[in-house]
Amino acid sequence: GNSVTQMEGPVTLSEEAFLTINCTYTATGYPSLFWYVQYPGEGLQLLLKATKADDKGSNKGFEATYRKETTSFHLEKGSVQVSDSAVYFCALRISGGYNKLIFGAGTRLAVHP
Amino acid sequence: GAGVSQSPSNKVTEKGKDVELRCDPISGHTALYWYRQRLGQGLEFLIYFQGNSAPDKSGLPSDRFSAERTGESVSTLTIQRTQQEDSAVYLCASSLEGTSGRHYNEQFFGPGTRLTVL
């Protein structure tokens, strides 16, 4: 079946540290891959996406590269800020489906000054 | 407001009671999705509407769960005879038409309804 596995949190970092949140997937066909973010008290928001192998999605200093050979889509940021504290969800969408998303369990990030 | 809204924000009910959760999508969005998130788990897809028809109900966990949608507007998710395992945050999302192609119409999420079944 189709599934997404994320590293367990919480991840606790100091400001300006390097961030990696691992995400791997299992899917039939050729999925599109996404990172969504949920800031405290807010709804889920799309952070970035990649629709085919070797694509790199980027937004707000975050990046993730679609690696078909390792079935991964790890989220990275070179220098985190306190305002990046949130829960991050990796998700996939199967091409040919109805646009529904399959999510990982989420990883909570806490950044301290 | 231009976003997806959901009501109530919190619902506490007793086991065995029925509950209704409401979602108001973004105006003009023909596609509507329901997901739920149980504690410590990812979001699980429940049902997808295109207009007022539901071509994908594959995520509804049992026949106690049902949903309907009025035209391209409000949707209601109903849970009958609630059980403690139904406790979760129920999220609604809407998008421009759901497609089967490579193009992705971004789903915009509401704030969710936190359901607690005692």
Side-chain angles (χ1 to χ4, degrees):
Chain A
N2 303 307
S3 66
V4 176
T5 303
Q6 292 181 233
M7 64 187 290
E8 289 190 22
V11 174
T12 304
L13 295 173
S14 298
E15 207 165 23
E16 299 183 3
F18 184 85
L19 169 70
T20 299
I21 300 178
N22 290 337
C23 171
T24 57
Y25 67 90
T26 302
T28 55
Y30 302 97
S32 298
L33 301 172
F34 307 86
W35 278 100
Y36 273 79
V37 59
Q38 186 170 32
Y39 297 104
E42 299 184 17
L44 277 166
Q45 304 172 25
L46 178 63
L47 179 60
L48 54 84
K49 69 179 188 286
T51 58
K52 63 184 187 297
D54 299 326
D55 269 2
K56 178 185 284 187
S58 61
N59 186 24
K60 299 182 180 180
F62 290 89
E63 294 183 339
T65 301
Y66 186 165
R67 301 284 188 203
K68 187 178 177 183
E69 63 276 14
T70 54
T71 61
S72 65
F73 193 55
H74 304 321
L75 183 68
E76 296 182 336
K77 187 174 185 181
S79 176
V80 293
Q81 306 300 313
V82 173
S83 57
D84 294 326
S85 298
V87 182
Y88 293 82
F89 293 90
C90 186
L92 67 83
R93 165 187 173 261
I94 299 297
S95 182
Y98 283 114
N99 218 33
K100 71 184 181 187
L101 297 172
I102 297 168
F103 285 87
T107 303
R108 182 175 299 278
L109 170 66
V111 181
H112 299 290
Chain B
V4 178
S5 61
Q6 294 185 243
S7 61
S9 55
N10 280 284
K11 176 71 176 178
V12 180
T13 191
E14 294 179 349
K15 178 181 173 181
K17 301 281 190 183
D18 297 352
V19 295
E20 284 190 353
L21 311 179
R22 176 187 169 108
C23 171
D24 283 88
I26 293 172
S27 178
H29 280 189
T30 58
L32 186 147
Y33 312 79
W34 283 98
Y35 297 85
R36 76 173 174 182
Q37 184 179 22
R38 289 188 279 191
L39 190 63
Q41 300 183 26
L43 282 74
E44 304 169 71
F45 166 80
L46 298 178
I47 187 169
Y48 156 68
F49 285 93
Q50 181 60 41
N52 62 4
S53 67
D56 190 347
K57 306 178 184 179
S58 62
L60 293 178
S62 75
D63 59 7
R64 296 186 296 103
F65 287 71
S66 62
E68 61 180 25
R69 187 179 184 195
T70 306
E72 294 180 354
S73 184
V74 172
S75 177
T76 303
L77 177 69
T78 301
I79 309 173
Q80 296 179 308
R81 306 180 302 281
T82 52
Q83 303 294 312
Q84 289 182 332
E85 63 263 27
D86 299 335
S87 295
V89 177
Y90 289 82
L91 290 163
C92 175
S94 71
S95 74
L96 297 173
E97 182 181 3
T99 70
S100 60
R102 184 168 290 280
H103 178 70
Y104 172 66
N105 286 320
E106 181 178 347
Q107 293 182 32
F108 293 84
F109 284 80
T113 294
R114 183 176 297 278
L115 174 66
T116 303
V117 182
L118 301 177

